[in-house]
Amino acid sequence: MPLDLGLISSLRPQTHLFYFPSIDSTMSEAARMVRNGACDGAVVVAEEQTAGLGRLGRNWVSQADVGVYCSVLLRIPVPPAQFPIVSLMLGLATADAIEKVASVACDLRWPNDVLISERKVAGILPHLVEQCIVAGIGINVNNTKFDEGLRTQPTSLHMARGGKPVSREHLLVQLLTSIDEFRDRLVSIGPRAILEAFSRASSYVSNRRVVIEDNGTRGITAGLDENGFLLVRSDGGKVSRVAAGGVRPAS
Ligand code: BTN
């Protein structure tokens, strides 16, 4: 069933929503809109993406009618050095929306994988376009199967709830509300609010044995630095900042 746009606009009348039954990627459309001066909070949402973008040049499988695939324009003043904090903030908002609408608790794997029992249920791709943050968010909602061979094992909310579907409209609306709430905290309190909330919400921030994807270093996670980068104490005792890529659990 396609998204019920009437329901979305009745629940969220303030949002400028740009809907596409099919698109290559909501990210490219959102970037084009930024260049044309689109307003803060505008949202591009698609029923399916034919060339969905994931992190690190990967693709994001975006099957029609079962997921939430959106890019949200956020015109918030964040210094470039603190860009990772925006990623963390979006992960928190996504997990919050899932918890509120689907009653499923998620874990967050730095910087922004949203996991249920170590399987990925949502991914986040923040881009900076002319000083505007384009927040790409993909959530596996009512998927009942996935392609083989994805890097991180995927799951959907439908699967996590033992076959109970979730309203994509309510999830999208709550996602936008949760983004509003977390961005307000970031702007009013500052990065500390996000760093503390992420550290509470993620099992990956401290005392977790991981391998750094980028360089294969193994170690134990040792918190976040002031800009939201993950710190890892290697087996040799050296503490380093994970500057790119992400981490995976290690044995
Ligand atoms: C990741 O690799 O974890 C990030 C995935 C981000 C996917 C979303 S779906 C909506 C938006 N449009 C895209 O092409 N990608 C993001």
Side-chain angles (χ1 to χ4, degrees):
M1 279 256 291
L3 285 166
D4 180 342
L5 298 178
L7 175 59
I8 295 171
S9 65
S10 70
L11 295 169
R12 185 91 191 171
Q14 71 272 38
T15 292
H16 291 256
L17 189 82
F18 298 83
Y19 169 81
F20 294 81
S22 181
I23 197 169
D24 52 355
S25 163
T26 57
M27 297 304 279
S28 33
E29 179 60 22
R32 198 185 60 73
M33 284 170 42
V34 169
R35 295 191 184 97
N36 288 337
C39 63
D40 176 50
V43 179
V44 182
V45 66
E47 213 67 77
E48 81 166 339
Q49 297 184 118
T50 54
L53 298 171
R55 291 178 61 234
L56 309 172
R58 298 176 189 142
N59 70 325
W60 183 260
V61 179
S62 311
Q63 197 194 326
D65 299 340
V66 293
V68 165
Y69 316 116
C70 65
S71 296
V72 183
L73 273 57
L74 299 173
R75 294 191 183 274
I76 42 177
V78 176
Q82 289 178 358
F83 196 58
I85 288 178
V86 173
S87 276
L88 307 186
M89 185 268 282
L90 293 167
L92 285 164
T94 304
D96 183 62
I98 289 173
E99 166 99 61
K100 287 189 168 133
V101 173
S103 307
V104 179
C106 296
D107 193 7
L108 294 166
R109 183 172 63 197
W110 190 93
N112 48 25
D113 287 339
V114 185
L115 306 176
I116 299 172
S117 305
E118 294 298 328
R119 290 173 173 257
K120 187 155 164 170
V121 70
I124 291 156
L125 185 67
H127 280 171
L128 197 57
V129 180
E130 293 183 353
Q131 315 206 339
C132 177
I133 294 157
V134 174
I137 301 174
I139 309 177
N140 301 327
V141 185
N142 290 324
N143 313 58
T144 54
K145 59 180 177 0
F146 290 96
D147 295 342
E148 301 279 306
L150 297 174
R151 271 179 75 85
T152 301
Q153 287 292 308
T155 191
S156 69
L157 297 177
H158 184 277
M159 291 170 171
R161 286 158 45 98
K164 262 168 74 183
V166 170
S167 157
R168 290 185 302 143
E169 293 84 356
H170 285 96
L171 185 58
L172 175 62
V173 167
Q174 181 59 52
L175 176 64
L176 300 175
T177 306
S178 296
I179 291 174
D180 287 348
E181 287 171 8
F182 279 94
R183 77 178 269 176
D184 285 353
R185 282 204 230 171
L186 174 60
V187 171
S188 62
I189 303 172
R192 182 172 53 83
I194 301 303
L195 296 172
E196 288 175 2
F198 193 89
S199 301
R200 278 195 302 273
S202 166
S203 76
Y204 274 84
V205 167
S206 297
N207 293 319
R208 187 78 191 251
R209 186 149 180 81
V210 295
V211 54
I212 302 177
E213 281 185 320
D214 205 32
N215 58 18
T217 302
R218 284 165 187 270
I220 305 281
T221 57
L224 301 169
D225 78 3
E226 72 280 8
N227 290 323
F229 287 100
L230 184 66
L231 302 172
V232 175
R233 179 172 288 104
S234 73
D235 293 346
K238 185 174 164 238
V239 176
S240 51
R241 222 177 59 154
V242 183
V247 292
R248 311 225 142 234
S251 45

